[in-house]
Amino acid sequence: MSSFVIQRLLSFFVTLAVTSVVVFGVLEWLPGNAAQVILGETATPESLAAMEEKLGLNQPALTRYLQWTGGLLQGQSGISISYDTPTAVLMLERMHVTLPLAVMAMSLTVLMALCLGLYAASKQNTAGDVGVMTLSQIGLALPNFWLAILLILLFAVQLQWVSAGGFPGWSEEDGGGLWDGFSALILPAMALAAVQTAILTRVTRSAVIEAMSEDYVRTPSFVAGSVLVTLLVLSAIVSLFWSPYPVGDIDIPNKLAKASAQHWFGTDSLGRDIASLLLVGSQNSLLVGFIAVGIGLGFGVPLGLLASAKRGWIEEVVMRAADFTFAFPALLSAILLTSIYGPGLVVSITAIGIFNIPVFARITRGAANAVWSRDYTLAARAAGKTKWAITWAHVLPNVASVLIVQATVQFAIAILAEAALSYLGLGTQPPNPSWGRMLNEAQSQMFQAPMLAVYPGVAIALAVLGLNLMGDGLRDLLDPRLSRTR
């Protein structure tokens, strides 16, 4: 046991060291100059040289790396360029908001997920179980940034129970109070907790049912998911040849028009037809999903199979590389790529695809390890077959069902990630329509035309919901244990 702990600790520190080197190297490689940012574009070469010397930018990269890591070990994280204040001080100043928000979101997640998961497991295959699982599917399908907009529209704009933005503080001296601070954070906490509650509810239900040794089958979810996914694919195909209006047509005199026979869902702030934007926007979602999942499968599956077949130091290297890649989520990767190549659809696909690689590598390796311990695999090894022959003949076919199900899940995640990146301006760029950018543009019109924030969010939710339902159904259909019970 102690040797295992020591090994894991060593792996952690090695991974942390490699991550720090890569982060520092990426920052060195990215274009830009901190001295230029501080002094502005009109700075003279002499003033730039003086500022670089003050900041230590004229020193060798190795020296600056050692100073950086040494400062981090001593709790010194540097000075903020924007505020001219130590970043550690800035982080501590914001901790009185961030920490309570995280605690509130986590508390809501655990409380609701455990209650709902236990209830669903105890009422298995009843209306209550179906209702809870439907709510969890909806929670998985809702982008949290769109849910935040809906919560603002309902509780801040319509009901006016809470304020729409800002943080008044926790004390009267700050201009607020305990209740004021709590009410200002409750909507963000609810938005953050929604997706995690849906995930934990499903995990809790499955774990309880497995512990109770009860089989369950939800093939209707496959039918419902297939219908939604088919509608998504048909929308994308139809939009290649036809849409009610060209998406580039701007009609300012007819802006913010309500739904009518001419414009089924109305028009946006530029007079563009919402139905046409939604229809054509489905192309981006499918394109990103297919390519990003393809990247994950194409690189992650071979790496996972290699790690499982070879074990030893090869497995350790592959898994630590996966840990390192997880340190760069799709959003961070997209920001780094955008600083070099500019925002665009290719950046979104690349960032999401890279993040999918370790996901599929880990899942493939875990499923393959289980197959390698099976009797038929051991018999094949005893017969003298090579590891690669066994991998292709026995391991890969037996992990294919797991990969198919995970592909549907990652496809849904890719659609959410693309919407989030476009919402932040890092994904699909004008004039090409994107559901995420439609949500971003709708924010400024929420009081005049709140439905502008509803339509693209519903499109995202239905697409993700369909893929999640299809994944659940495929898991049940492809699971040999469930096949024997039908």
Side-chain angles (χ1 to χ4, degrees):
M1 180 65 181
S2 59
S3 61
F4 173 78
V5 173
I6 294 173
Q7 181 182 2
R8 300 304 297 178
L9 287 175
L10 288 175
S11 299
F12 169 76
F13 287 117
V14 170
T15 303
L16 191 63
V18 172
T19 302
S20 70
V21 171
V22 173
V23 169
F24 185 85
V26 168
L27 293 176
E28 284 289 302
W29 177 51
L30 291 176
N33 186 308
Q36 186 79 62
V37 173
I38 295 173
L39 298 177
E41 297 294 335
T42 59
T44 63
E46 293 77 13
S47 60
L48 284 175
M51 181 58 70
E52 289 177 354
E53 183 176 0
K54 178 182 177 181
L55 298 175
L57 298 177
N58 58 346
Q59 298 180 7
L62 179 59
T63 302
R64 286 185 284 114
Y65 171 76
L66 295 176
Q67 291 176 346
W68 176 57
T69 53
L72 289 177
L73 292 175
Q74 297 174 19
Q76 301 172 2
S77 54
I79 306 296
S80 169
I81 294 177
S82 301
Y83 296 93
D84 193 26
T85 304
T87 55
V89 174
L90 294 174
M91 288 188 288
L92 288 175
E93 289 177 351
R94 288 154 175 77
M95 194 62 69
H96 75 289
V97 177
T98 302
L99 186 59
L101 176 59
V103 171
M104 289 172 63
M106 183 177 65
S107 301
L108 284 172
T109 297
V110 173
L111 179 63
M112 292 190 298
L114 289 179
C115 293
L116 291 173
L118 291 172
Y119 174 79
S122 65
K123 302 293 183 179
Q124 184 187 357
N125 295 329
T126 65
D129 180 26
V130 173
V132 170
M133 295 311 296
T134 301
L135 285 177
S136 71
Q137 292 285 7
I138 295 173
L140 286 172
L142 294 178
N144 53 10
F145 57 89
W146 181 57
L147 178 60
I149 294 175
L150 295 182
L151 292 174
I152 291 173
L153 284 173
L154 177 60
F155 294 104
V157 178
Q158 298 295 331
L159 301 177
Q160 297 183 355
W161 288 355
V162 296
S163 59
F167 184 73
W170 292 107
S171 63
E172 294 181 359
E173 291 78 4
D174 296 329
L178 187 61
W179 171 250
D180 294 329
F182 177 81
S183 62
L185 295 181
I186 187 62
L187 293 186
M190 291 170 62
L192 291 172
V195 174
Q196 297 305 319
T197 298
I199 296 173
L200 188 56
T201 297
R202 294 160 63 83
V203 171
T204 301
R205 176 186 182 275
S206 297
V208 172
I209 288 177
E210 184 176 355
M212 295 166 63
S213 300
E214 296 179 1
D215 295 322
Y216 57 102
V217 180
R218 294 194 306 273
T219 50
S221 64
F222 176 75
V223 177
S226 299
V227 171
L228 292 175
V229 173
T230 300
L231 289 175
L232 173 64
V233 174
L234 288 177
S235 298
I237 294 175
V238 168
S239 66
L240 291 172
F241 308 101
W242 174 86
S243 62
Y245 294 86
V247 293
D249 278 7
I250 296 177
D251 185 10
I252 298 297
N254 200 30
K255 68 178 183 179
L256 301 181
K258 294 183 178 180
S260 64
Q262 291 74 29
H263 300 283
W264 303 335
F265 299 136
T267 61
D268 65 3
S269 59
L270 297 177
R272 296 174 298 181
D273 182 65
I274 297 296
S276 300
L277 294 174
L278 292 173
L279 204 61
V280 179
S282 62
Q283 297 176 20
N284 284 333
S285 297
L286 284 178
L287 181 64
V288 171
F290 275 120
I291 300 180
V293 171
I295 292 173
L297 286 169
F299 291 93
V301 172
L303 287 173
L305 292 174
L306 175 66
S308 180
K310 294 296 186 181
R311 307 302 290 264
W313 67 270
I314 294 180
E315 181 182 30
E316 190 70 17
V317 168
V318 171
M319 290 300 100
R320 297 295 75 76
D323 291 339
F324 165 73
T325 308
F326 274 129
F328 293 87
L331 177 59
L332 179 57
S333 299
I335 293 174
L336 294 176
L337 292 171
T338 299
S339 65
I340 302 173
Y341 303 107
L345 185 62
V346 175
V347 167
S348 297
I349 293 173
T350 304
I352 300 169
I354 291 174
F355 187 74
N356 278 339
I357 294 175
V359 173
F360 282 103
R362 280 185 168 279
I363 290 174
T364 303
R365 175 240 185 190
N369 282 349
V371 175
W372 277 104
S373 62
R374 300 286 173 81
D375 291 339
Y376 56 82
T377 308
L378 297 176
R381 296 185 65 178
K385 288 188 176 181
T386 64
K387 287 187 175 181
W388 286 118
I390 296 174
T391 296
W392 293 112
H394 300 286
V395 178
L396 183 57
N398 282 281
V399 302
S401 61
V402 177
L403 297 177
I404 292 172
V405 173
Q406 189 61 36
T408 63
V409 174
Q410 294 306 122
F411 203 119
I413 292 175
I415 291 178
L416 285 173
E418 190 278 331
L421 292 174
S422 296
Y423 178 80
L424 296 173
L426 303 176
T428 306
Q429 298 299 299
N432 299 316
S434 167
W435 293 343
R437 201 178 69 254
M438 289 175 67
L439 281 173
N440 178 280
E441 295 170 351
Q443 284 187 121
S444 60
Q445 308 295 332
M446 279 201 303
F447 294 95
Q448 295 86 355
M451 293 304 293
L452 291 180
V454 174
Y455 293 133
V458 169
I460 297 170
L462 288 178
V464 175
L465 178 63
L467 288 162
N468 285 333
L469 289 172
M470 178 180 283
D472 277 356
L474 285 173
R475 180 195 59 202
D476 294 341
L477 291 171
L478 297 176
D479 192 327
R481 294 172 298 176
L482 297 178
S483 298
R484 287 194 296 268
T485 65
R486 289 195 289 269

